[in-house]
């Protein structure tokens, strides 16, 4: 089709067909080819000043850079899309897409409160249009609530009249299960949710990325709580308490020791974890440093005075 539009010299049609081709390349995960196609297309569309198509292309470029984990370029492309969108009337579905992408990028930067507001705007727009993407906006809204440890708000959002029974389904049930696991601080419930809703959680790259960091946080909190009463404890006993494989627990404990989450060491010969008491800082050292600093200031001022007298 692109070749035919070139032969017939239908420039505007060719640009739209090429933009569609780039989106299909992105869906088939051929990101480099899609970016190569867009880079020349963006220059051409900017020259013609076709703002509506430019918004589409910049949004697509932002999604491509995000898929390639290039966050600064993804943000730059989204800003360019917003700038172009401010100059024209943007259809509600496209405005919703811009808000959705903004939310995804803010969530990636761990700014979940701002991300929630963008996802809410996207949900409002898609809900009014009865767009199927509304359920994904709702899913990401619930994810943001869970990530800021407000899992209790999930039930409140889902019981509202706007959401009601309209969006009940596996996507929402998956987030309910994760919220319940987080509220209970239970790793077993968390793993059950990941297993039962694999398609909705594991196979959604955006949700999966955030849930893996949430799982790590939950695991660390549970381990710290379990080892607190001990000064020496068998790793197998901790694994039994937390209901996880021994090698998995051992690996996580060694990582936590390296990250200085607690002071301790692993005795792999005996299969034990030895926890040290928190070293208490001696107050004499800072006081000594402060005294030396003050003496230095006194000597400097005396030197300045003697220099004046000698002069």
């Amino acid at each position: 089709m692109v070749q035919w539009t070139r032969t017939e010299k239908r420039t505007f049609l060719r640009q739209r067909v090429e933009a569609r081709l780039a989106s299909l390349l992105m869906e088939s995960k051929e990101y480099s080819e899609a970016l190569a196609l867009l880079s020349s297309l963006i220059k051409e569309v900017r020259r013609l000043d076709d703002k509506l198509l430019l918004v589409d292309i910049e949004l697509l470029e932002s999604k491509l850079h995000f898929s390639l984990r290039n966050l600064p370029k993804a943000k730059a492309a989204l800003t360019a899309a917003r700038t172009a969108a401010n100059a024209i009337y943007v259809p509600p579905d496209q405005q919703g897409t811009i808000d959705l992408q903004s939310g995804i990028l803010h969530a990636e930067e761990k700014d979940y409160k701002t991300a929630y507001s963008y996802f809410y705007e996207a949900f409002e727009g898609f809900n009014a249009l009865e767009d199927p993407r509304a359920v994904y906006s709702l899913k990401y809204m619930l994810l943001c609530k869970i990530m800021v440890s407000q899992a209790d708000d999930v039930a409140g959002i889902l019981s509202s009249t706007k959401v009601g029974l309209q969006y009940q389904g596996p996507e929402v049930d998956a987030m309910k299960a994760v919220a319940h696991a987080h509220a209970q601080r239970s790793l077993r419930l968390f793993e059950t949710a990941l297993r039962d809703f694999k398609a909705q959680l594991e196979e959604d790259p955006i949700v999966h990325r955030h849930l893996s960091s949430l799982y790590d946080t939950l695991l660390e909190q549970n381990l710290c709580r379990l080892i607190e009463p001990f000064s020496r404890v068998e790793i197998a006993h901790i694994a039994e308490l937390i209901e996880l494989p021994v090698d998995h627990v051992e690996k996580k404990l060694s990582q936590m020791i390296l990250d200085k989450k607690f002071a301790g060491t692993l005795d792999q010969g005996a299969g034990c974890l030895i926890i040290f008491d928190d070293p208490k800082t001696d107050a004499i050292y800072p006081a000594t440093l402060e005294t030396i600093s003050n003496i230095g200031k006194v000597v400097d001022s005396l030197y300045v005075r003697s220099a004046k007298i000698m002069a």
Side-chain angles (χ1 to χ4, degrees):
M1 281 177 74
V2 171
Q3 198 54 50
W4 177 81
T5 52
R6 284 184 192 281
T7 312
E8 295 289 315
K9 294 183 180 174
R10 302 201 177 185
T11 309
F12 290 101
L13 179 60
R14 176 180 57 76
Q15 288 166 353
R16 274 158 179 78
V17 171
E18 282 186 346
R20 178 71 185 131
L21 173 62
S23 71
L24 290 170
L25 284 169
M26 186 182 78
E27 283 171 27
S28 60
K29 295 189 167 66
E30 293 176 36
Y31 303 127
S32 303
E33 289 88 336
L35 272 175
L37 181 63
L38 282 183
S39 59
S40 58
L41 190 59
I42 285 172
K43 288 173 191 168
E44 203 177 322
V45 173
R46 276 190 184 138
R47 269 203 311 274
L48 291 168
D49 205 30
D50 186 346
K51 289 275 196 293
L52 199 59
L53 180 59
L54 188 62
V55 172
D56 272 337
I57 294 168
E58 295 280 14
L59 255 177
L60 190 57
E61 189 190 12
S62 177
K63 287 176 185 174
L64 281 165
H65 283 305
F66 177 73
S67 301
L68 290 167
R69 313 291 299 120
N70 191 340
L71 209 58
K73 283 194 175 180
K75 284 175 72 181
L78 183 65
T79 306
R82 279 188 172 283
T83 307
N86 287 338
I88 53 162
Y89 168 74
V90 178
D93 64 324
Q94 199 170 32
Q95 185 59 51
T97 311
I98 291 171
D99 288 332
L100 188 63
Q101 183 66 10
S102 300
I104 289 167
L105 293 180
H106 277 286
E108 190 64 23
E109 292 184 316
K110 306 278 189 285
D111 184 1
Y112 294 111
K113 287 187 177 176
T114 311
Y116 178 85
S117 59
Y118 276 119
F119 288 137
Y120 183 76
E121 290 292 330
F123 174 72
E124 291 272 293
F126 291 142
N127 185 44
L129 296 167
E130 295 183 356
D131 192 303
R133 284 176 292 177
V135 74
Y136 293 105
S137 303
L138 175 62
K139 182 180 170 183
Y140 300 149
M141 278 165 62
L142 300 178
L143 174 69
C144 289
K145 283 292 180 190
I146 294 165
M147 293 306 289
V148 292
S149 301
Q150 292 176 358
D152 299 338
D153 293 356
V154 169
I157 294 166
L158 294 175
S159 63
S160 67
T161 51
K162 192 177 285 182
V163 177
L165 297 169
Q166 190 178 353
Y167 294 105
Q168 296 302 320
E171 302 287 347
V172 171
D173 290 343
M175 297 318 291
K176 266 195 214 166
V178 172
H180 177 62
H182 186 268
Q184 298 292 319
R185 297 255 182 255
S186 168
L187 284 167
R188 192 164 51 79
L189 288 174
F190 197 91
E191 288 188 330
T192 307
L194 289 176
R195 193 168 55 250
D196 293 349
F197 298 99
K198 191 176 180 185
Q200 290 77 24
L201 301 174
E202 294 273 332
E203 290 169 22
D204 185 328
I206 294 154
V207 173
H208 177 64
R209 198 171 291 141
H210 294 294
L211 287 187
S212 59
S213 72
L214 183 67
Y215 177 80
D216 275 352
T217 308
L218 262 181
L219 180 56
E220 283 179 11
Q221 285 173 353
N222 275 271
L223 284 171
C224 285
R225 187 167 49 80
L226 288 171
I227 65 174
E228 202 173 1
F230 302 104
S231 60
R232 183 186 178 94
V233 60
E234 286 187 359
I235 297 166
H237 179 62
I238 298 170
E240 192 182 319
L241 289 172
I242 208 164
E243 298 175 346
L244 286 173
V246 175
D247 58 339
H248 183 55
V249 171
E250 189 176 333
K251 188 180 173 184
K252 188 66 194 171
L253 284 170
S254 65
Q255 190 184 327
M256 286 169 72
I257 291 167
L258 289 171
D259 290 344
K260 293 186 169 54
K261 295 286 164 70
F262 67 91
T265 185
L266 287 169
D267 183 348
Q268 287 182 308
C272 287
L273 170 71
I274 301 160
I275 300 114
F276 305 138
D277 292 330
D278 287 330
K280 290 176 182 173
T281 53
D282 199 334
I284 198 164
Y285 295 118
T288 308
L289 285 170
E290 194 180 345
T291 307
I292 292 167
S293 172
N294 289 336
I295 289 168
K297 285 174 187 173
V298 170
V299 170
D300 287 344
S301 65
L302 286 171
Y303 175 76
V304 171
R305 281 187 185 180
S306 64
K308 281 180 183 173
I309 292 164
M310 292 295 284

